[in-house]
Amino acid sequence: MLVLTTDYVPNHEIKEIKGLAKGSTVRSKHVGKDITAGLKSIVGGELTGYNEMLIEARQLAIGIMVEDAEKMGANAIIGMRLQSAAITQGAAEVFAYGTAVVI
């Protein structure tokens, strides 16, 4: 599955628009990582536990979006975007969406 942030596929014609493909996940880190992040925020530096959590969440949300597009019969997604939101302390939702198309 070709996933692009652009609204077109270079050197390809969009033959059919299938619709909105979407995927979301809510992820959290365990308490130990949360305590470590709290201490890190006092002294400064990268919050690697949260960074890892968001990387995993983005990958999972994109994977779910791709599965959604495949169910529609698409072979590409254009205009892909990611959004994230804090749900509670230590938990975040990541939402991936784009237009499922056939090229």
Side-chain angles (χ1 to χ4, degrees):
M1 175 74 60
L2 186 60
V3 179
L4 300 168
T5 58
T6 59
D7 293 331
Y8 62 94
V9 182
N11 303 317
H12 290 83
E13 178 185 341
I14 295 173
K15 296 181 180 183
E16 187 178 357
I17 296 174
K18 293 292 190 174
L20 177 67
K22 58 205 171 304
S24 69
T25 185
V26 177
R27 308 291 287 185
S28 68
K29 278 291 177 194
H30 61 76
V31 175
K33 294 276 188 180
D34 203 31
I35 292 169
T36 304
L39 294 173
K40 189 72 119 174
S41 67
I42 293 170
V43 297
E46 182 179 6
L47 302 176
T48 55
Y50 287 112
N51 192 32
E52 291 167 1
M53 176 187 71
L54 288 172
I55 289 169
E56 292 169 7
R58 283 191 296 267
Q59 290 172 341
L60 184 57
I62 291 170
I64 294 168
M65 176 190 64
V66 166
E67 289 175 8
D68 190 38
E70 287 172 343
K71 288 177 187 173
M72 289 186 251
N75 62 2
I77 298 170
I78 58 172
M80 193 278 293
R81 302 289 184 265
L82 288 167
Q83 288 188 309
S84 63
I87 302 298
T88 65
Q89 183 176 348
E93 175 191 28
V94 174
F95 183 67
Y97 62 96
T99 303
V101 298
V102 175
I103 55 172

